[in-house]
Amino acid sequence: MGARILVVEDEEALTTLLRYNLESDGYDVETVARGDDADTRMKERLPDLVVLDWMLPGLSGIELCRRLRARTDTKQLPIIMLTARGEESERVRGLATGADDYIVKPFSVPELLARVKGLLRRAAPERLATVLTYGDLELDRDKRRVARSGRPIDLGPTEYRLLEFFLEHPGRVFSREQLLDGVWGRDIYIDERTVDVHIGRLRKLLNPGREQDPIRTVRGAGYALDDRFAKVE
C-alpha cells in the first residue's frame, strides 16, 4: 500500500480529480469535505500527508493548519495548501501558519503530484518505492541504476529523470508541456522541442537492438509508456 493522503476539499469535481490522479500514482486516498470533520478524522487515524483547501465549511483550512501544528502528533505532518488566493501576502500567511507548500488554483495536476512526492520523500521516504519496474525495465532509485532484462543501461541525468517520471505514471499520456513541468520544472524555460530530443536519446539507449520500444508516441497528444510493454515477460 502506498502512502496515505487525506484530501480536505469541498469542491466535488476537484476532489474527484485529485482522488483519481493520486490513486493512479499508487496512494491510499481519503477525502473529507469539511474542516471540522477532517480534524476529527485525523485524531482517529493520521495520514502521511494532507492536501488542504484554504476555504472550507465548518473549520477553515488555515485554522485547521494551526491546530495541526499545535498538536504533538501532527506537528511534522506534511501539509500542502490549496487556495484561489494568489497574492503574495496570502501565500506568506499560509506558509507562516505551518503549511509546507502552497498551490494556487487552477493548478497543474502533474505539478501537484510532483510536490506530493517531494514532500513524502523528505518526510516519509520509506513510503515511496525505491525500485520501479515495468515490463523488463527496472529503475533502482537508491543505486541510481537502470536495467533492461538484467542488462545495465547507462542513462544521462535528464534521460534518467524522464524514465523515472514515465515509470511513476505507466500508461498515462503526457503532453510535452506536462513533461517539461514534471521533469524539468516550471521555473525553467526550455523549448518543447527539447522533450523530443531527450525522448529520442532515451529510446536509443533503451532499444540498442530490435527490442520492443517501451515509449509510445501519441500523435497530437504526447508520449507515454506503452501499455502493451507491461506484458513483456
Side-chain angles (χ1 to χ4, degrees):
M1 181 65 70
R4 180 173 176 269
I5 297 178
L6 178 64
V7 176
V8 190
E9 170 61 63
D10 63 332
E11 293 180 32
E12 186 175 350
L14 181 54
T15 299
T16 300
L17 177 69
L18 291 172
R19 176 189 283 278
Y20 172 81
N21 282 279
L22 288 167
E23 287 183 342
S24 295
D25 259 20
Y27 299 113
D28 177 19
V29 182
E30 185 177 5
T31 62
V32 180
R34 294 175 57 90
D36 48 359
D37 290 342
D39 192 26
T40 300
R41 192 72 55 88
M42 281 185 278
K43 290 177 181 177
E44 299 169 350
R45 182 188 176 196
L46 282 179
D48 296 300
L49 181 144
V50 179
V51 177
L52 178 63
D53 189 26
W54 181 297
M55 300 296 292
L56 292 167
L59 183 70
S60 71
I62 204 80
E63 179 56 30
L64 177 56
C65 188
R66 281 199 194 94
R67 293 188 183 187
L68 293 174
R69 288 299 178 245
R71 284 165 34 195
T72 303
D73 60 340
T74 55
K75 188 175 183 179
Q76 302 297 327
L77 178 66
I79 298 174
I80 296 179
M81 187 80 75
L82 301 181
T83 179
R85 300 168 180 261
E87 296 80 8
E88 181 179 358
S89 60
E90 297 297 345
R91 293 199 299 272
V92 171
R93 182 185 174 198
L95 293 171
T97 303
D100 297 285
D101 209 342
Y102 190 103
I103 298 182
V104 179
K105 301 176 185 177
F107 54 84
S108 159
V109 172
E111 178 187 7
L112 173 65
L113 295 175
R115 295 193 185 197
V116 165
K117 187 180 75 171
L119 274 179
L120 286 172
R121 180 175 288 157
R122 293 194 295 271
E126 71 282 356
R127 299 305 301 269
L128 296 178
T130 57
V131 177
L132 301 174
T133 60
Y134 197 68
D136 60 357
L137 281 174
E138 180 178 285
L139 183 148
D140 189 319
R141 284 170 161 158
D142 289 343
K143 298 178 180 178
R144 299 283 295 185
R145 291 179 180 173
V146 175
R148 181 166 188 180
S149 297
R151 183 186 73 252
I153 298 175
D154 187 18
L155 298 183
T158 301
E159 286 70 39
Y160 178 91
R161 293 197 305 271
L162 192 57
L163 178 61
E164 181 182 29
F165 187 77
F166 277 131
L167 289 171
E168 290 169 347
H169 313 89
R172 193 180 308 178
V173 179
F174 289 99
S175 67
R176 292 170 178 81
E177 182 180 0
Q178 289 173 326
L179 289 172
L180 284 173
D181 289 347
V183 177
W184 282 266
R186 301 189 71 182
D187 297 331
I188 300 176
Y189 175 76
I190 298 176
D191 190 284
E192 289 188 1
R193 288 172 295 183
T194 301
V195 174
D196 299 331
V197 172
H198 286 283
I199 288 288
R201 290 177 182 172
L202 179 60
R203 276 178 159 150
K204 287 181 180 179
L205 292 167
L206 294 179
N207 315 311
R210 294 184 177 181
E211 296 162 296
Q212 180 182 354
D213 187 353
I215 300 174
R216 179 167 63 101
T217 299
V218 183
R219 188 178 298 274
Y223 300 98
L225 275 185
D226 198 329
D227 291 332
R228 295 169 296 179
F229 182 75
K231 300 175 184 177
V232 173
E233 297 188 5

